[in-house]
Amino acid sequence: MTTASLIGWTALSAIVPGAAHLRAGKRRTGFIMLAFFGALLIAAVVYGLQFLGNAGAAVRQSTLTTVMIGAGAGALAWFALIAMSYMALRPERLPRKGQVVSGIVVGVLCVSVMAPFALTATTIKTAGDLLDDVFVPQPGGPSPSPIRAEDPWNGRKRVNFLLIGADAAGNREGVRTDSMTVASVNLVTGNTVLFSLPRNLQYVRFPASSPMHKQFPNGFNAEGQGLLNAVWYYADNNPQLMGGKNRGPEALKDAIGYTLGLNIDYYAMVDMFGFARLVDAIGGLRIRVEQDVKWGGHFGTAGTIKAGYRKLNGEEVLWYGRSRVNSDDFSRMARQRCVIGALAQQASPTTVLANFNRIAAAARHMFRTDIPRDLLEHLVPVGLKVKDAKITSLQFVPPTIYTGNPDWAKIRLLTRKALHESTADSRTAAAGVTASPSGTGTGTGGASASGSPTAGAAATPSAGVTASRPTRPVTPTPNDKAADSLSEICGF
């Protein structure tokens, strides 16, 4: 046997275990190794098939542990396989030069076959650590309810997530919720309505069950203005009022849920500067910039994001959504919902896997949520539905809603209408949809059926109006607009 053929048969054994032993005349050992490899391959395929109809099972802690241990064992097994195959071919029969060359090549091959297994194990370990860091209850906060595998959503057909962008400017203390959007997801179809609430919405009410209701029975008016983005900060700074530390999320969920007439099931908060790192980790976002957006200070001296259909990096995406230069809060809200929609559409599983370690490094310290770890496996298939489903958007901004003196009954009416239209036939829902690109007044129409039903969400913030028998309020602002398709608004 020549040096080249010995190396070739050894390399072939990495793909077809037992090949080198068969070539060396050790037929029994070769067939046993080949049969064992075949059985192992079949077992791996059968194990993998269970995730085709249940993608969420892939993020179970037991699954991650199984795959990590299996990858570690596979690395050692294939290292031993290459070494045994090489020795079975009796390299000592080669000339000295051939022994040296084959030994070096086979040594490199041993390390090479271990690399994919080692990469898999480290990636899985990183994923497990990330999930354990992010999906963990905050100290002092309420304990999550147990998740029942047979009915993880407790019979609900719709689940409501509060998505928060936290302003992490260095000159601020505590959490200021700069961006607040409720994503109301139909669990069957994945159709989603995004409700954007202005940071300067004033005097929000709280349900009677909330400790904040006793403190502010006539509406939140802390710090003289009572802005919505101060609710979390106030609750965190007054633990004696809320009955514990880190109850800011509960106070904000109560306020926003009561405002919309929905039960807010979970929240997820992302630090905005951490979000920029996340966008960079997935390679940027493609966004249609309707007009030049200047950013930096009050006059936009740091730079300009040019108009057009462009791929923005993390810093550009951050300032596209945050810039106040020549725009108001409502224009910023319109841009922010386009960022959310772009991320939902463009962060494909392939993109996430290809950039996983970078994403994990960016996400580890930027997220905060009350979604239980055990619910994640049930949330994954819902997220996959949302990616291919219809996403509409509704924002409560002037002229439809005046933030200084909100029409609470009208907000609830529009919310119900938007939810109803989201569940309607696509042709019906398309009627009345405008293609206007963002701005201060567009995207603020209609609403529909309520979300997760709870007794607390059934009451209305305005006297005399109930969610079960809505009364059309008398208002100088239009009520007949539909929630806009995000694809039309943002030009996806």
Side-chain angles (χ1 to χ4, degrees), residues 288-319:
R288 184 181 68 177
V289 181
E290 195 65 23
Q291 58 186 13
D292 288 359
V293 177
K294 294 185 176 181
W295 59 275
H298 295 288
F299 304 102
T301 56
T304 301
I305 301 171
K306 294 294 186 180
Y309 190 70
R310 306 184 53 233
K311 189 168 187 176
L312 306 182
N313 62 30
E315 183 180 34
E316 290 171 331
V317 168
L318 175 64
W319 290 111

Side-chain angles (χ1 to χ4, degrees), residues 55-81:
V59 298
R60 289 177 186 164
Q61 186 62 55
S62 59
T63 301
L64 297 179
T65 301
T66 299
V67 174
M68 187 169 60
I69 293 174
L76 296 176
W78 252 255
F79 180 92
L81 172 65

Side-chain angles (χ1 to χ4, degrees), residues 76-90:
L76 296 176
W78 252 255
F79 180 92
L81 172 65
I82 297 299
M84 291 170 60
S85 299
Y86 178 62
M87 297 305 298
L89 293 169
R90 299 178 62 188

Side-chain angles (χ1 to χ4, degrees), residues 159-454:
V159 63
N160 303 304
F161 300 94
L162 173 58
L163 310 177
I164 303 168
D167 191 342
N171 59 348
R172 289 190 174 183
E173 295 181 1
V175 174
R176 297 285 180 159
T177 52
D178 190 67
S179 169
M180 289 160 285
T181 300
V182 173
S184 185
V185 183
N186 186 307
L187 295 173
V188 177
T189 64
N191 285 356
T192 300
V193 185
L194 300 177
F195 299 103
S196 298
L197 293 105
R199 60 188 289 277
N200 62 342
L201 190 69
Q202 292 182 277
Y203 314 122
V204 290
R205 315 290 180 84
F206 299 90
S209 58
S210 172
M212 295 284 277
H213 176 79
K214 301 174 183 177
Q215 182 73 9
F216 303 105
N218 298 315
F220 182 68
N221 62 359
E223 301 182 358
Q225 294 179 305
L227 301 182
L228 180 61
N229 78 325
V231 170
W232 182 314
Y233 177 79
Y234 181 88
D236 270 359
N237 283 351
N238 293 272
Q240 75 287 350
L241 172 65
M242 293 298 298
K245 296 180 179 180
N246 298 318
R247 299 296 175 92
E250 298 304 310
L252 187 60
K253 286 164 62 178
D254 285 343
I256 291 178
Y258 197 56
T259 298
L260 299 178
L262 302 175
N263 178 65
I264 306 300
D265 300 292
Y266 305 103
Y267 83 92
M269 184 181 73
V270 59
D271 168 79
M272 286 195 168
F273 288 95
F275 181 76
R277 293 192 292 271
L278 178 64
V279 171
D280 282 334
I282 65 172
L285 289 178
R286 296 183 301 276
I287 292 177
R288 184 181 68 177
V289 181
E290 195 65 23
Q291 58 186 13
D292 288 359
V293 177
K294 294 185 176 181
W295 59 275
H298 295 288
F299 304 102
T301 56
T304 301
I305 301 171
K306 294 294 186 180
Y309 190 70
R310 306 184 53 233
K311 189 168 187 176
L312 306 182
N313 62 30
E315 183 180 34
E316 290 171 331
V317 168
L318 175 64
W319 290 111
Y320 173 76
R322 298 189 75 230
S323 177
R324 291 186 173 90
V325 181
N326 297 327
S327 65
D328 53 25
D329 278 345
F330 313 124
S331 297
R332 293 169 65 237
M333 286 171 56
R335 297 196 300 268
Q336 287 166 3
R337 62 180 174 169
C338 288
V339 169
I340 293 174
L343 183 63
Q345 288 196 349
Q346 297 171 34
S348 65
T350 303
T351 301
V352 171
L353 289 175
N355 301 278
F356 184 77
N357 287 333
R358 295 179 63 199
I359 292 172
R364 187 179 298 275
H365 302 295
M366 61 177 281
F367 280 117
R368 180 173 167 183
T369 183
D370 62 351
I371 298 174
R373 174 70 175 85
D374 293 341
L375 185 64
L376 188 58
E377 66 174 278
H378 307 287
L379 190 57
V380 168
V382 174
L384 294 176
K385 285 182 182 179
V386 171
K387 285 187 61 62
D388 299 322
K390 174 186 173 185
I391 301 178
T392 52
S393 178
L394 173 65
Q395 54 178 352
F396 301 104
V397 298
T400 301
I401 297 295
Y402 296 109
T403 57
N405 184 25
D407 185 336
W408 306 113
K410 181 180 179 182
I411 289 176
R412 285 196 161 204
L413 177 66
L414 295 177
T415 300
R416 291 192 297 272
K417 186 179 177 186
L419 291 174
H420 176 71
E421 291 177 353
S422 174
T423 59
D425 179 82
S426 58
R427 289 172 297 179
T428 303
V433 172
T434 68
S436 175
S438 71
T440 59
T442 60
T444 56
S448 91
S450 100
S452 307
T454 64

